[in-house]
Amino acid sequence: LGGGVLKGRIGMDRLMAVGHSFGGATCLTACNSDLRFKACAVFDVWLFPLSLAMAHATLRIPTLFLVAETFDNLWPKEGRKVLDGFLRRARASGVPIEAFKVIGSRHQNFSDFPVLAPGFTQALGMAGPTKPSVVIEVANKCAISFLLHNHESTEAVTWMDSAMSFLGIEKPSLSLIL
């Protein structure tokens, strides 16, 4: 990024990251080790590839976890234990962290394939019963609202209020993970 059209347009000192599955694990690791990252959102993160040290780390930046409704089916013991540990440690240290299940979703709903072939992916059980374009819209708009809120620190409105306004709905298709 030494020059050209992007020179001066990317704030390398205030990066944000979004990732799905293995990309989500990569985002968590990068964001916890590089101080330039200021917020992170992960979609149905695959927690298995995390190093032992990372799995037991305290997340240092605001982080949003959006997981599929089937998350606990796929990662019933270790994945849930790692996620619960992240939530507990971050909250104890005062780091903003949220975790929600997206109702009617499965792991593949957070990629583009179910949007491109909804009938096929739903018939094979790769996508959940909620319309794939709705799941990806909810995930993307929640992530954008969360990241912008934590980047701009607008305390007047919560990131969830902003996301619901963005989505044009009053009740989210989300279930809070405590």
Side-chain angles (χ1 to χ4, degrees):
L1 296 177
V5 296
L6 296 179
K7 186 173 182 166
R9 294 179 182 230
I10 298 176
M12 295 299 291
D13 60 333
R14 57 183 197 282
L15 300 173
M16 295 179 274
V18 177
H20 167 245
S21 194
F22 187 86
T26 303
C27 285
L28 289 174
T29 301
C31 289
N32 223 44
S33 61
D34 189 329
L35 297 178
R36 295 175 298 172
F37 286 98
K38 305 302 179 199
C40 180
V42 293
F43 301 155
D44 212 36
V45 61
W46 186 33
L47 297 166
F48 184 74
L50 294 177
S51 70
L52 193 58
M54 182 61 213
H56 291 91
T58 299
L59 300 178
R60 60 170 202 80
I61 62 172
T63 303
L64 172 65
F65 289 86
L66 292 176
V67 300
E69 193 169 23
T70 55
F71 181 81
D72 287 329
N73 298 345
L74 298 174
W75 325 110
K77 293 180 183 174
E78 290 307 311
R80 183 53 184 229
K81 190 180 348 175
V82 171
L83 177 56
D84 288 346
F86 280 145
L87 294 170
R88 188 179 58 259
R89 289 186 301 275
R91 289 175 179 153
S93 68
V95 174
I97 189 167
E98 302 279 350
F100 291 92
K101 284 185 182 180
V102 181
I103 305 303
S105 68
R106 294 205 170 101
H107 184 74
Q108 291 302 324
N109 275 109
F110 296 94
S111 69
D112 59 356
F113 190 51
V115 176
L116 298 172
F120 178 73
T121 55
Q122 285 180 308
L124 290 178
M126 296 169 64
T130 300
K131 188 176 175 184
S133 59
V134 170
V135 173
I136 205 76
E137 181 181 23
V138 166
N140 289 341
K141 289 183 176 179
C142 283
I144 290 167
S145 295
F146 181 85
L147 294 172
L148 289 177
H149 174 77
N150 284 288
H151 173 64
E152 298 168 354
S153 292
T154 3
E155 295 302 322
V157 132
T158 70
W159 75 268
M160 183 58 85
D161 291 338
S162 177
M164 294 307 102
S165 172
F166 199 10
L167 288 167
I169 57 177
E170 289 181 29
K171 268 186 116 176
S173 302
L174 305 170
S175 170
L176 180 64
I177 298 174
L178 298 177

